[in-house]
């Protein structure tokens, strides 16, 4: 079974340019997460989707970041305009449902990430 | 004080050693505790999941949770060079999102 697919794997842009990241989750996974991982830090949640609905975007900097998951499958995360401090790895993860549904633990599966460098 | 603290390492051990990795936390609402392994240029992968206090064993890995001390541990027995990676702890309260620690870099030397 294919895992979570992300593209591109690496992206180098100049500041103030726009950039977009794409994620295709594991087939059948309704829940999709975007995380930001700075160097030497753990992932931090940016946004969580249940199907096509963004149910938790409280940590997404909405002045420059946007995301969509139009058909409840793959998702795009965009930054416009990028700043130097946006250099990081952007991870996508998916799970069958919210990671904790009642007493059921739904494991999150992570993609390899997109490493963004802003010059 | 950060919500989850973890010694960043790097931690270097010889092959076959027992490795102890630890996290401390401040939020008493945390009930769910995870350990992830992250290889270089890869996403994290789940190693262990524990609910509330106690021990859990899976092969060479043992996870321990001490909620009274707000302290969790991951032990790796008979460590192998393939265990060289960054180990992230993560935790959550009911209905909350994960909070990850910064990770500990482990090198197992052949």
């Amino acid at each position: 079974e294919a895992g979570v697919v992300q593209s591109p794997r690496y992206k180098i842009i100049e500041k103030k340019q726009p950039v977009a990241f794409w994620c295709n989750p594991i087939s059948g996974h309704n829940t999709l997460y975007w995380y930001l991982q700075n160097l030497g830090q753990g992932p931090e949640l940016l946004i969580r989707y249940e199907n096509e609905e963004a149910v938790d975007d409280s940590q997404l900097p909405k002045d420059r970041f946007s995301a969509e998951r139009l058909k409840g499958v793959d998702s795009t995360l965009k930054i416009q305009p990028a700043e130097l401090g946006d250099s990081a790895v952007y991870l996508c993860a998916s799970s069958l449902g919210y990671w904790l549904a009642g007493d059921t633990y739904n494991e999150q599966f992570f993609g390899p990430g997109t490493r963004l460098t802003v010059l | 004080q950060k919500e989850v603290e973890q010694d960043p390492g790097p931690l270097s051990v010889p092959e076959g050693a027992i490795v102890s990795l630890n996290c401390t936390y401040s939020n008493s609402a945390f009930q769910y505790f995870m350990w992830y392994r992250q290889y270089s240029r890869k996403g994290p992968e789940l190693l262990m999941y524990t609910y509330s206090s106690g021990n859990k064993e899976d092969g060479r890995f043992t996870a321990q949770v001490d909620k009274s001390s707000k302290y969790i541990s991951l032990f790796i027995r008979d460590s192998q060079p393939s265990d060289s990676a960054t180990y992230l702890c993560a935790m959550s309260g009911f209905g909350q999102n994960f909070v990850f620690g910064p990770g500990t870099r482990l090198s197992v030397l052949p």
Side-chain angles (χ1 to χ4, degrees):
Chain A
E1 179 182 330
V4 176
V5 178
Q6 290 189 247
S7 69
R9 292 294 315 278
Y10 304 91
K11 189 73 177 179
I12 301 174
I13 61 171
E14 295 193 347
K15 63 181 181 182
K16 300 185 181 179
Q17 294 300 306
V19 64
F21 315 124
W22 177 80
C23 172
N24 187 251
I26 293 173
S27 177
H29 281 192
N30 299 325
T31 305
L32 185 146
Y33 310 75
W34 282 103
Y35 287 88
L36 164 71
Q37 186 173 24
N38 286 304
L39 186 65
Q41 299 298 316
E44 299 172 31
L45 181 70
L46 289 172
I47 190 168
R48 171 170 65 93
Y49 282 92
E50 298 290 344
N51 298 302
E52 64 273 11
E53 182 181 358
V55 294
D56 184 353
D57 63 356
S58 57
Q59 301 303 311
L60 189 72
K62 298 181 184 65
D63 56 337
R64 296 184 301 107
F65 286 65
S66 64
E68 60 183 16
R69 192 184 186 199
L70 292 175
K71 296 183 179 179
V73 181
D74 55 354
S75 176
T76 303
L77 178 68
K78 298 177 181 178
I79 308 175
Q80 183 170 12
E83 296 178 353
L84 295 177
D86 296 331
S87 295
V89 175
Y90 292 82
L91 293 163
C92 179
S94 71
S95 59
L96 275 174
Y98 184 49
W99 74 269
L100 188 66
D103 293 332
T104 300
Y105 171 71
N106 292 308
E107 181 179 348
Q108 289 189 40
F109 293 86
F110 285 83
T114 296
R115 183 175 297 268
L116 174 67
T117 302
V118 182
L119 303 175
Chain B
Q1 181 188 10
K2 292 187 176 181
E3 224 173 352
V4 179
E5 309 230 31
Q6 195 174 359
D7 186 333
L11 177 64
S12 293
V13 301
E15 183 176 354
I18 296 174
V19 177
S20 172
L21 303 166
N22 311 294
C23 285
T24 59
Y25 62 95
S26 57
N27 190 338
S28 56
F30 288 154
Q31 302 178 62
Y32 305 92
F33 304 92
M34 275 75 60
W35 284 97
Y36 283 82
R37 177 175 61 196
Q38 186 172 24
Y39 290 114
S40 180
R41 313 281 178 175
K42 301 287 187 184
E45 56 178 335
L46 182 70
L47 280 177
M48 302 284 282
Y49 161 67
T50 309
Y51 169 66
S52 193
S53 285
N55 295 356
K56 185 174 184 179
E57 187 173 321
D58 184 1
R60 296 185 296 111
F61 299 91
T62 298
Q64 288 185 352
V65 174
D66 182 350
K67 290 184 68 179
S68 62
S69 301
K70 296 190 178 69
Y71 187 88
I72 69 171
S73 301
L74 177 71
F75 298 95
I76 308 174
R77 290 182 298 281
D78 187 24
S79 56
Q80 303 295 310
S82 58
D83 294 327
S84 297
T86 296
Y87 289 80
L88 300 155
C89 63
M91 46 198 79
S92 175
F94 183 79
Q96 299 173 3
N97 292 309
F98 293 177
V99 177
F100 282 84
T104 298
R105 228 166 17 121
L106 171 66
S107 290
V108 181
L109 306 174

